[in-house]
Structures are given as C-alpha cells and as structure tokens.
Amino acid sequence: MRILMTTSFALIAVGCNSGRSNSAPAIAAAPPAVAQPEITINADNALTVAQAGVRGSLDLMRLGYIGAHFLQTPMPEPAGAEPSQPSGLATLQSTTVDGPEGGIATFTWDDIDEDGAYTSGDVFTVSFDEYGDEGMLLNGVMTIDNVDLQGLLPGDGTYLLAADLNFVGLSVTLGSTELTISTTLPFHVENRILIEIFELTLPENKLIGSFEVLRDTRLLRYETSETLRFQFDGAVRSSDLGGTVRFSTPTFLVGSPFLSDPTAGTLVMSGFKGTSVEIEPNCIVPGVCFSLDVRVDEDGDGEYDVSLSSSWAGLLP
C-alpha cells in the first residue's frame, strides 16, 4: 500500500490560483525525463513531431483523467440486495454512466471491507460500450485498484487519493486511429476547496499505440471552477519519427472545463542539438481559437526559422 504525501505543487497552485483570477499559478519544479531527444526537428517533420508531443502529453493525460474521474460517480445502490443477504454477496454494486459524447459505461464497485463507503483497498471496474469523452471513443475494460484514500469520495471536499488505472485490452479510437491499450497508469489526485490537482508520473515506459511515453514523464492537470491548466514535462518515442523527442510547457496550456481543447499557452517539443517546434493556440478572441501557430527552430539557435499552421484536430492521428 502506498503512503500518500501532500505535494508542494498543490500548495503552490492553491496559493496562486483561486479560480477567480486569470493569472497562472507558479509552475512547480518537475524532475526532467531521463530520455534525451534523438530527432533533428525541421519544417518537414515539425507537424509529425507536434503530433507525437500531443499524444504523449495531452491525450495520455485525458485518458487517465477519464478513468480516475469515475471515482466521483455516486455510490450505486445494491441491486436486489436483501438485509439478510450473506456477507460477500452484497459487496459488488453497479450502475451505468452515460458518456458525455455518447455511449455508456458500467461502473462496478467492490466494497472489499463492506463499510458502505469508498475506502482504501476497494476495487472498481469500468466496462465501456461506445463511451465518448474528451474526443475519445472507448470500448473494453478498465479497473482501478491499489486505492489509497484519505478523505471522502465522491464529493468536492478535501481528499488525497493514489491508485492504479489498469487498461485491459482497452480500445481507444482517436481521430481515424483505433488503439488497443493494455497497461497500468499510477495516478494521484489532491483536491482542495478551490482546486483539484491530478498527476500522472510514469515509473516506466508506457506503450500507447505507435507512441511510447517514456519513464519519468510527469503530467499535471489543475482544475478550478473556471479554468484548466496543464503542465507537462516528459519524452515520447514515435515509430513514425524513428526516435525520441522531449516535450514541455514553458507556460501553462490553459483552457476551460467547458471547452475540449486548450486556448492559450505553449507546448514545446525539443529535438537533437537544440532544434524545436512550439505550438500555441491562435485565438481571434479569448476562448475562440480556430488554429494553432506552429513555429520551428531548425538550427537550434533559439530563434524560430519557419512558421506553419495547424489545429488540434489537424494533429489527430
């Protein structure tokens, strides 16, 4: 069983962002990913590099958060359970959840200690049937185990949570590509009155379709009542590129809980010998963004040499 510790980045975020201001909280220091970039970035491969960076950061974060958020599902009522039912038969309870973008999921709770509350040691299973959320279509099974919980779930009070998401041949359709994922993602959630912080830190390489997100990658999601902020630092290996690139967010990617894609901030993919590509939403007014500015540093001198244009949809596989 893991031991939960209150992380300093949460305290920084709470102190600097109450959800009532457009100012970003100070970005917490994150340990660099071990992997070093191998790909020289240029105008010809810049969009492929950007796609790899988005898959390894934003999309992996979204997939993890979809799974973890099921622990906010209200406790399902026992189906047909009688007060006299023998111990052990009433520990499994299920309910159905409609997908925000269609389909359903069956959420099952195994109340291991039979205390009638989500607590450490309980096990959860989610069976997806054409379940749509965050631009992804999910089919198959995911479990949540190794739960270590301090506080009450579901609810919006203060709690600390660590657990493992286990994808068991989960089918994920993203854009025109269908991926089959069988892996485990350890995650942490810290919820305060004004902010929720979700974190994925990979202890080992994780294969997500044709992309391998490398160990020590750290993905953070901060949510207040009005804003979403993403902080990424990691590396991804792409079979399309034949090597590794680093990714990071020098400034937070910023969005809204009510919008699907970030509307401000930058995501930078770093290559061999200082080459890089930076993507930034191009918005006609705050929150209304139809394209991404793509800037390429081909010679590693810190100056962008080529400007391209794409979109979040255009970077889908």
Side-chain angles (χ1 to χ4, degrees):
M1 183 68 70
R2 281 167 291 190
I3 298 174
L4 279 170
M5 299 182 65
T6 303
T7 49
S8 60
F9 69 80
L11 301 179
I12 292 171
V14 171
C16 299
N17 187 351
S18 67
R20 298 293 183 265
S21 170
N22 291 326
S23 61
I27 297 179
V34 170
Q36 295 302 308
E38 303 166 337
I39 302 300
T40 300
I41 300 172
N42 54 50
D44 294 332
N45 66 9
L47 293 180
T48 305
V49 169
Q51 184 184 72
V54 171
R55 297 289 83 74
S57 59
L58 193 60
D59 287 343
L60 184 59
M61 165 63 71
R62 285 168 165 165
L63 181 61
Y65 189 75
I66 289 171
H69 195 64
F70 271 89
L71 293 180
Q72 284 288 3
T73 303
M75 300 176 190
E77 294 294 330
E82 299 293 336
S84 60
Q85 193 167 13
S87 176
L89 296 182
T91 64
L92 289 177
Q93 303 178 32
S94 296
T95 189
T96 57
V97 179
D98 292 329
E101 298 167 12
I104 62 170
T106 301
F107 177 63
T108 301
W109 165 38
D110 190 351
D111 185 9
I112 298 294
D113 54 7
E114 301 183 59
D115 64 351
Y118 296 175
T119 49
S120 299
D122 287 353
V123 176
F124 305 83
T125 302
V126 187
S127 298
F128 297 101
D129 183 6
E130 299 293 304
Y131 185 90
D133 194 6
E134 298 277 9
M136 299 179 180
L137 185 67
L138 307 182
N139 285 282
V141 176
M142 176 199 74
T143 65
I144 306 173
D145 61 12
N146 288 329
V147 173
D148 190 355
L149 174 62
Q150 298 176 24
L152 297 177
L153 279 175
D156 57 4
T158 297
Y159 64 84
L160 298 173
L161 168 68
D164 289 341
L165 291 171
N166 305 290
F167 302 111
V168 187
L170 183 70
S171 170
V172 180
T173 301
L174 183 64
S176 60
T177 300
E178 182 178 351
L179 314 173
T180 300
I181 303 175
S182 296
T183 194
T184 296
L185 295 179
F187 71 91
H188 294 80
V189 182
E190 180 169 352
N191 194 72
R192 300 295 181 182
I193 295 174
L194 297 176
I195 191 167
E196 177 194 72
I197 302 117
F198 175 78
E199 178 185 3
L200 292 175
T201 299
L202 304 188
E204 58 190 11
N205 296 356
K206 300 294 181 181
L207 187 63
I208 310 294
S210 62
F211 299 94
E212 187 174 23
V213 188
L214 304 188
R215 68 181 180 92
D216 294 328
T217 288
R218 189 177 187 221
L219 310 175
L220 291 162
R221 178 189 190 274
Y222 304 83
E223 181 175 351
T224 70
S225 61
E226 298 177 355
T227 63
L228 283 178
R229 301 184 191 275
F230 301 97
Q231 178 191 354
F232 304 139
D233 186 82
V236 60
R237 182 177 294 121
S238 165
S239 59
D240 293 334
L241 292 169
T244 300
V245 294
R246 290 282 304 274
F247 56 79
S248 62
T249 45
T251 59
F252 281 101
L253 283 175
V254 180
S256 163
F258 312 106
L259 299 174
S260 57
D261 295 314
T263 57
T266 56
L267 176 64
V268 175
M269 280 57 64
S270 302
F272 188 60
K273 291 187 176 180
T275 59
S276 66
V277 57
E278 177 184 83
I279 61 175
E280 181 179 11
N282 184 342
C283 306
I284 56 175
V285 296
V288 182
C289 313
F290 296 106
S291 64
L292 293 173
D293 290 335
V294 181
R295 297 180 281 267
V296 188
D297 178 0
E298 296 186 298
D299 53 17
D301 65 352
E303 300 291 333
Y304 292 113
D305 308 298
V306 179
S307 294
L308 305 171
S309 182
S310 187
S311 64
W312 292 115
L315 295 180
L316 289 172

